[in-house]
Amino acid sequence: MKRALVTAAVLALAVTGCGGKQQTDSAAPGGSQSCEAGEGRITIATGNSGGVYYVLGGGLAQLISTNTKLRATAAETGASVQNIQQLVAGNYDVAFSLADTAADAVNGKGSFDGKPQKVQALARIYPNSTQVLVRADAGIDSVADMKGKRISTGSPKSGTEVIANRLLQAAGLKDTDVQAQRLDLAKTADGMKAGTLDGLVWSGGLPTAQITDITTALKDKVKFLDITPLLPKLKEVNPVYDQAVIPRATYAQPSDVPTVVVPNLLLVREDFPAGNACAITKLLFDKQAELAKVHPAAKEITKQLATQTDPVPLHPGAKQALG
């Protein structure tokens, strides 16, 4: 798979190195596990280039490379489902994922039907807001109104696509009831501005740069939908879904927009070295302020919520860092 590395031009960060074999852990005096990363190279699976995963993944790679013996790189991907599949396959060492997709993975449900994935979490991080944006002239006032419309449901094998399909089902629609366009965020933004799309579903942190691009370019020609009436049905699928708002100032909207949120997790394989897991998890919280400079979504990463990853088990090294 072709993997685009996060560049300094995007993040104003110098991300160095490339994927490679990790070094095994070293034991601390007295036989306890060291919370120090070994030497080696690791890769971080992020998401679409216009999304928050991509930006924060680059920032995390820079922090790891600067503060440990590891050399980390972040790669652009299709996001959650693909990230987990390729994490398990050994193509990546660390991966961002929506918590609902990760729950499907460990339970062998949804896109992972019958095949439980052996992944663990380093931490619960910031939440993703489900952002449903439509053209004001498309005649769409609810998800049910998307029948027959041209809707971007996100990249194939992304967490956005999972949530988009669940929203459609919760609204009583079948996949074939909409003209679903499985587009990445850059192509989605182009389609909205060109008028070749009637709407989009995007699951991401606030703000997402390309959603800002759309709302800035089209102003009152687009509007956000309140999807919270579908929350009870979404919770029947996975209780991790919750309600929040997209503050009006985020995208210069007339008012706050109620929406559905889902936490994000930082994932590794079960065999990820405990010393590396401990060091990276500790770094995530010790250097949170630096990550927040890369993207404000990192301000919502809290140690109080970090261990709330069920049903995804917390990696033993992460438990040590958060204990």
Side-chain angles (χ1 to χ4, degrees):
M1 185 198 73
K2 185 178 179 180
R3 295 179 291 178
L5 297 181
V6 176
T7 65
V10 175
L11 300 174
L13 290 170
V15 182
T16 59
C18 60
K21 190 174 181 181
Q22 303 165 37
Q23 185 159 313
T24 56
D25 292 314
S26 58
S32 62
Q33 187 64 55
S34 170
C35 193
E36 181 177 348
E39 295 181 354
R41 300 177 185 274
I42 63 170
T43 53
I44 303 172
T46 64
N48 289 180
S49 61
V52 179
Y53 282 0
Y54 181 77
V55 179
L56 280 183
L60 180 60
Q62 171 66 8
L63 286 180
I64 293 169
S65 296
T66 301
N67 294 278
T68 76
K69 295 178 182 179
L70 294 170
R71 293 297 170 261
T73 52
E76 181 183 2
T77 69
S80 298
V81 176
Q82 178 188 335
N83 284 0
I84 294 173
Q85 290 173 337
Q86 296 192 341
L87 176 69
V88 172
N91 296 328
Y92 299 108
D93 303 297
V94 180
F96 284 78
S97 174
L98 284 163
D100 58 342
T101 303
D104 285 349
V106 298
N107 289 325
K109 296 182 178 179
S111 300
F112 309 92
D113 188 26
K115 297 179 181 179
Q117 305 295 299
K118 295 182 179 181
V119 296
Q120 297 182 343
L122 295 183
R124 170 175 166 170
I125 48 178
Y126 67 94
N128 264 17
S129 293
T130 309
Q131 301 165 58
V132 182
L133 188 66
V134 299
R135 293 188 67 93
D137 61 1
I140 303 173
D141 294 314
S142 69
V143 175
D145 293 336
M146 289 182 174
K147 187 172 184 178
K149 305 296 184 180
R150 302 163 299 177
I151 306 298
S152 174
T153 54
S155 298
K157 297 187 176 183
S158 66
T160 290
E161 185 175 54
V162 171
I163 290 180
N165 289 336
R166 286 177 177 173
L167 283 172
L168 293 173
Q169 292 163 11
L173 299 179
K174 299 176 184 177
D175 296 348
T176 54
D177 285 336
V178 302
Q179 298 181 48
Q181 311 294 307
R182 303 174 78 194
L183 302 174
D184 66 25
L185 194 52
K187 291 178 181 177
T188 296
D190 290 343
M192 288 293 289
K193 290 186 288 184
T196 57
L197 288 173
D198 299 307
L200 67 90
V201 178
W202 168 251
S203 179
L206 300 176
T208 295
Q210 284 174 322
I211 301 298
T212 301
D213 178 35
I214 296 168
T215 56
T216 301
L218 298 181
K219 296 184 169 55
D220 60 358
K221 293 181 181 178
V222 291
K223 64 181 181 180
F224 285 92
L225 297 187
D226 174 2
I227 57 170
T228 56
L230 300 176
L231 182 57
K233 288 188 177 180
L234 290 175
K235 278 184 169 291
E236 290 176 8
V237 178
N238 194 316
V240 75
Y241 296 110
D242 204 353
Q243 181 169 340
V245 298
I246 302 171
R248 57 182 295 183
T250 307
Y251 299 116
Q253 295 301 296
S255 60
D256 293 348
V257 180
T259 194
V260 172
V261 294
V262 59
N264 287 296
L265 303 180
L266 206 56
L267 302 177
V268 294
R269 291 184 299 278
E270 288 182 351
D271 62 357
F272 191 71
N276 289 354
C278 185
I280 293 171
T281 305
K282 190 173 186 298
L283 193 63
L284 186 67
F285 294 95
D286 288 350
K287 302 292 184 180
Q288 182 200 10
E290 292 185 31
L291 274 183
K293 292 177 183 177
V294 175
H295 195 285
K299 294 178 182 178
E300 298 188 69
I301 299 175
T302 67
K303 205 167 184 179
Q304 290 77 13
L305 297 175
T307 60
Q308 296 181 21
T309 63
D310 287 343
V312 182
L314 203 62
H315 190 284
K319 287 181 181 179
Q320 181 181 350
L322 296 168

